[in-house]
Amino acid sequence: DKLLEFPVDMVLLAVGLIPAQGTAELSHMLGVSRDDQGWFSELNYNGNPTDTERGGIFVAGVCQGPKDIPDTVAQAAAVAAGVLRSISSGRVMGNLSNLSLSEIETRARDMHVV
């Protein structure tokens, strides 16, 4: 309750974010995993930053954690491309959460094009 004035070189304004209420229930309902802090987890941060273990379910924007607008827009575009790819091919990636190593190897061999 005091007014303070002092010179500064830089001011950073930030709002703390937490996952929305109901995230745990939605995660359970969809079978999408969450990280230690409660945000939805992507399949692979570097390789598949919008895919989840559940085929056909994508994540983008602040449901994964605090993000700025350009990152959110880029992820939304990637999700739209993934959805269009599924529609045009008529296939949706299956659930990857319980694939065995032999199933992964078999799928990799099946994808090999000579």
Side-chain angles (χ1 to χ4, degrees):
D1 294 330
K2 295 180 186 177
L3 179 61
L4 298 174
E5 291 185 26
F6 52 92
V8 296
D9 293 329
M10 183 185 302
V11 175
L12 298 176
L13 302 175
V15 176
L17 293 176
I18 58 172
Q21 290 182 352
T23 303
E25 293 81 11
L26 185 59
S27 169
H28 179 71
M29 189 169 54
L30 297 176
V32 175
S33 60
R34 298 183 310 144
D35 65 15
D36 301 352
Q37 298 169 345
W39 302 102
F40 290 115
S41 297
E42 66 278 342
L43 181 61
N44 178 300
Y45 178 77
N46 293 320
N48 296 314
T50 59
D51 292 354
T52 65
E53 296 175 339
R54 298 290 307 240
I57 298 178
F58 301 91
V59 290
V62 182
C63 73
Q64 289 178 280
K67 288 197 174 57
D68 60 12
I69 293 171
D71 287 343
T72 299
V73 170
Q75 282 191 314
V79 168
V83 170
L84 288 174
R85 185 173 46 251
S86 296
I87 291 170
S88 65
S89 70
R91 296 182 350 175
V92 174
M93 182 176 66
N95 186 356
L96 300 177
S97 60
N98 49 10
L99 281 178
S100 68
L101 179 58
S102 63
E103 288 174 296
I104 293 170
E105 290 172 340
T106 301
R107 288 182 182 199
R109 276 192 298 275
D110 291 345
M111 290 178 8
H112 182 70
V113 178
V114 178

